[in-house]
Amino acid sequence: LDFDMKKLTEKSGGELRIGASTTISQYVLPELIAEFRKLYPDIRITLLSGNSHEIEDALAAGRIDLGMVGGIKRKCLKDELVAFVHCSNPLAQQDEISLNLLRQTPIVLRELGSGTLDVIQKALQENGIALSDLNIEMNLGTTEGIKHFVEHSLSMGIISIRAIYRSIYEQVFKVLEIENLKMEREFLFVEKRGETA
């Protein structure tokens, strides 16, 4: 109501506290926030970044007004997770790998609690594969950390396609299809029960 009344007088102000999972906060929201600020320069925006569980906890605790995560809440944007290697990796000679080769390849994934890892785990389970069946070299807390590790190793990573668009065109990374494995998700709004943003 406050916002609508101020809008009638063509003056908007206040603060919007947004929490977003790592991929969304790094690769989706900066552009959207920049556009929003052009329309509403008097609204101050703060952005909290964390994994999906941390964002949901921050919302429940009242530290943010709106959360955006990968999971099953209110749909916002589509996303796809992809397997990728550095272009110098011998696997980069292939366009697709088998599930058996996936099990053997050293892989770097996000940490427990991340929406990205939840999507990977679900897609694997649909193919009868557990996370423990993979050759997980390490779990890292950020998408950028995974990108840098893969760039300097023979490991494979799995992250949002949004995070490596530019690196694919610059021929730093190569995306590999994995037979019968689709890792799609929605970026979602989460809000307190009974409240609508």
Side-chain angles (χ1 to χ4, degrees):
L1 180 62
D2 224 16
F3 182 81
D4 289 340
M5 293 301 288
K6 286 179 182 173
K7 199 169 180 184
L8 287 174
T9 62
E10 295 188 10
K11 183 177 180 186
S12 300
E15 179 181 15
L16 176 60
R17 300 171 304 162
I18 303 171
S21 57
T22 310
T23 301
I24 299 170
S25 66
Q26 289 179 337
Y27 305 106
V28 177
L29 282 182
E31 181 180 340
L32 296 176
I33 290 172
E35 290 300 314
F36 181 87
R37 294 275 298 140
K38 290 175 189 172
L39 297 171
Y40 304 103
D42 295 326
I43 296 178
R44 190 164 64 88
I45 296 178
T46 57
L47 178 60
L48 171 71
S49 181
N51 69 39
S52 297
H53 294 282
E54 291 168 341
I55 296 306
E56 290 174 5
D57 289 346
L59 184 66
R63 294 192 307 272
I64 58 174
D65 303 308
L66 177 67
M68 294 180 71
V69 298
I72 306 171
K73 307 289 186 273
R74 188 161 55 111
K75 294 180 181 179
C76 174
L77 295 168
K78 289 186 180 288
D79 187 36
E80 181 182 6
L81 302 180
V82 294
F84 73 103
V85 294
H86 188 266
C87 284
S88 66
N89 188 315
L91 285 176
Q93 302 304 312
Q94 301 181 51
D95 292 324
E96 182 178 82
I97 62 170
S98 68
L99 290 170
N100 280 337
L101 186 52
L102 172 66
R103 286 184 179 101
Q104 299 166 23
T105 303
I107 192 166
V108 184
L109 300 173
R110 286 291 307 273
E111 81 286 3
L112 289 174
S114 81
T116 298
L117 189 62
D118 291 344
V119 172
I120 294 167
Q121 188 169 13
K122 184 175 185 285
L124 289 169
Q125 285 173 345
E126 289 171 0
N127 285 276
I129 301 171
L131 276 177
S132 58
D133 295 334
L134 299 182
N135 180 11
I136 300 175
E137 190 161 3
M138 68 181 343
N139 294 85
L140 288 171
T142 67
T143 300
E144 287 298 310
I146 292 174
K147 286 169 58 177
H148 289 299
F149 189 87
V150 168
E151 186 174 357
H152 299 285
S153 72
L154 293 177
S155 296
M156 175 193 313
I158 299 177
I159 59 176
S160 169
I161 187 69
R162 295 169 184 267
I164 57 171
Y165 275 138
R166 183 175 292 158
S167 299
I168 293 167
Y169 291 116
E170 293 171 351
Q171 298 183 336
V172 175
F173 296 129
K174 166 85 180 281
V175 170
L176 300 175
E177 298 288 328
I178 303 170
E179 69 171 342
N180 301 321
L181 196 67
K182 285 287 178 205
M183 296 175 284
E184 297 173 333
R185 65 178 171 179
E186 302 275 352
F187 288 144
L188 311 160
F189 286 118
V190 289
E191 53 199 10
K192 287 184 184 177
R193 187 165 290 171
E195 294 185 17
T196 302

